[in-house]
Structure formats: structure tokens, C-alpha cells
Amino acid sequence: MANDKPNQPQDESRRRFLKYSGTALGGVVLGGVIGGLVGANVKQTDKDETAEPGKSGTAAENKDYNQALMFFSQDQFTTAEAAAERIFPADDSGPGAKELGVAFFMDHQMVSQYGYNARDYMLPPYYKAEETQGYQLIFKRNELILLGLEAMNQYSNTKYQKPFAEIAPEEQDAVLTAFEKNETGIKDFPATNFFAMFLNLTMEGAYADPLYGGNRNMAGWKMRNFPGNQMSYTDYIEKEEFVKLEPLSLHDHLELG
């Protein structure tokens, strides 16, 4: 009969390899830096497992991962955020576009099917469109927004020697007004097209479900006493008095379910 004892060092070595390489994580061998981190943090992982019940034991729990850039560069985001704040500024009634995260909403829309005109027919031949036909430009929406943000900075640098985000609020208003009234140009399309789309995105970002990146903490809805995405109104529909409900996001239904 074969003796198992000579194999024990080899088995022990293999167990160590599995533990520190990360093979146990989904059956995938993790090499290089990731594999090293798995081994280096084994003791830390053991500590996390003893965290307070209901808590992960990590600082990441309080992070909002929906507030992350997917399309804009940092400069483009800063310009969009500053412009949106002038269109939807903070006042006594509540937060403005910046605090609501409207620029994050725009960023997420630009990388979506909406931003890429995925459901629009975009091939030639092209004909002059009527105003009632809606968006008819050959540019994708994300291209139009990027060209518009670049044009705003160029206009601001020419007139005020600073990019849009760094000029005074009244100067920012003047720049936006010039685009609204088509008093300046953008390459290959009217400035009013950009302003109209940017205005719509600002309002959508202030009042859309927070799941899409804006309306942070449902503050846009709270300013309007809008109940958000309630599952049912059967308990209130026959009440004569106004019923103020705490708003719910689509994400809340996942937790309630």
C-alpha cells in the first residue's frame, strides 16, 4: 500500500497556492498584482468578516457608484456642470443642478442608446427637415453636446479670456444667452440646437429617477412634492385631502422586493 505521508508537503503547498493566488474566487486564477493583493489582504479579509451585522465593514458602503464619469472628460464635465447650474441654480426652494448631479445624468445619457442615436435612422440621403420633425441633424447627440461644450469654451475664452467654468455667473449667463438666441456659431449646426438639447437634459437630470445619475437624493422630486415611483396609490386615491408621500426611486423597489 502506498504511503500518503510523502505527499503532504506537496498538498500543503498546493493549498497555499490556491489561497494566495485567488483561484478560489470564482474558479479563476488571478495572477500579477491582483493575485498578490489577495494574498497580502487575507488577514484584513478575516477582520472584515467580523464586522457589525448588516454592515460590510468597508468604507465603500457609503459611496455612490452612480456618480462616476462614463463619457465626458473632466474638463467637459466641469463645463457641463457649470452651465447646468446657471440654467437650474440653487435658491431658497432647493438645490441646483450641481448638487442634484445633473452633469452625471448628462454623462450617462451620452454613453447610452440615446446619446448614440441607436434607434434613429442616420444614413443618407439627407433632406431639409421641417421644424415639426424634431431632431434631424446628422450628428449623434453626444457629438452635438461635445461640440457645443467646446464652442462655449471657445466663445468664453475669446470674450472673457477664461474658460466657461471660470468666468463670473453673469458672464456665464451672457454666454448661454448668446447660444440660446443663436448669436454665435457652432461648426455645421445652429447654436440653438445645442442650447435646446442641453436645456432639456438639464431639466431631465433634475427630475429623472436617481437611478439614471441625476436628481440626487430625490431632492428634485421633494421640491415639487412629487412622489416618484410609488408601487400603488390605492390607499390614497379616494382621499379628498392632499396626501404628501415620501418619494420612492426605482431602486427602492428592489430593496422592498
Side-chain angles (χ1 to χ4, degrees):
M1 178 180 294
N3 192 334
D4 292 337
K5 290 184 178 180
N7 292 328
Q8 286 180 346
Q10 182 177 355
D11 292 342
E12 180 64 25
S13 176
R14 181 174 182 273
R15 280 195 293 271
R16 276 201 303 271
F17 171 76
L18 293 175
K19 181 176 182 179
Y20 294 118
S21 69
T23 304
L25 302 178
V28 179
V29 175
L30 304 178
V33 175
I34 297 178
L37 289 176
V38 172
N41 289 303
V42 169
K43 293 183 179 179
Q44 182 63 41
T45 302
D46 293 340
K47 292 180 181 179
D48 292 343
E49 291 174 355
T50 61
E52 179 184 345
K55 301 292 184 180
S56 67
T58 64
E61 186 169 343
N62 296 323
K63 292 182 179 179
D64 186 350
Y65 289 101
N66 208 23
Q67 304 288 301
L69 295 183
M70 300 180 181
F71 183 80
F72 287 149
S73 68
Q74 188 60 53
D75 287 342
Q76 292 162 351
F77 174 81
T78 300
T79 303
E81 187 175 61
E85 180 68 17
R86 294 312 302 157
I87 293 173
F88 197 100
D91 57 22
D92 294 339
S93 62
K98 182 175 182 178
E99 188 175 344
L100 289 170
V102 166
F104 284 109
F105 169 84
M106 292 184 185
D107 173 80
H108 297 358
Q109 290 298 299
M110 293 302 98
V111 80
S112 71
Q113 289 187 337
Y114 170 86
Y116 282 96
N117 296 67
R119 297 185 179 183
D120 298 341
Y121 186 82
M122 302 289 289
L123 298 177
Y126 303 115
Y127 301 98
K128 181 176 176 57
E130 300 296 331
E131 292 185 2
T132 55
Q133 290 181 284
Y135 185 83
Q136 295 290 321
L137 298 178
I138 63 173
F139 295 97
K140 295 181 177 67
R141 293 184 183 92
N142 55 23
E143 294 173 336
L144 184 147
I145 291 297
L146 291 186
L147 288 170
L149 293 175
E150 180 183 357
M152 281 206 322
N153 276 323
Q154 290 177 347
Y155 184 87
S156 178
N157 279 316
T158 299
K159 189 167 184 178
Y160 302 108
Q161 292 73 54
K162 291 181 181 179
F164 181 86
E166 297 179 13
I167 59 178
E170 60 272 15
E171 294 171 340
Q172 292 177 335
D173 292 345
V175 173
L176 290 169
T177 299
F179 279 74
E180 180 185 17
K181 295 182 177 180
N182 208 33
E183 295 173 351
T184 183
I186 299 179
K187 182 180 179 181
D188 296 326
F189 62 86
T192 51
N193 287 78
F194 161 73
F195 181 84
M197 183 173 292
F198 191 88
L199 172 63
N200 287 338
L201 286 168
T202 299
M203 303 308 294
E204 290 169 5
Y207 296 119
D209 193 287
L211 194 67
Y212 298 102
N215 190 15
R216 185 181 290 138
N217 298 324
M218 295 179 280
W221 289 347
K222 292 174 183 177
M223 284 191 287
R224 298 280 185 171
N225 289 324
F226 181 68
N229 291 293
Q230 301 285 332
M231 295 188 70
S232 173
Y233 295 95
T234 55
D235 293 337
Y236 318 104
I237 196 169
E238 295 184 358
K239 293 183 179 294
E240 294 184 2
E241 70 276 11
F242 177 77
V243 179
K244 185 176 180 179
L245 300 176
E246 190 68 20
L248 292 177
S249 165
L250 290 169
H251 183 271
D252 293 325
H253 297 315
L254 296 176
E255 296 178 346
L256 292 172

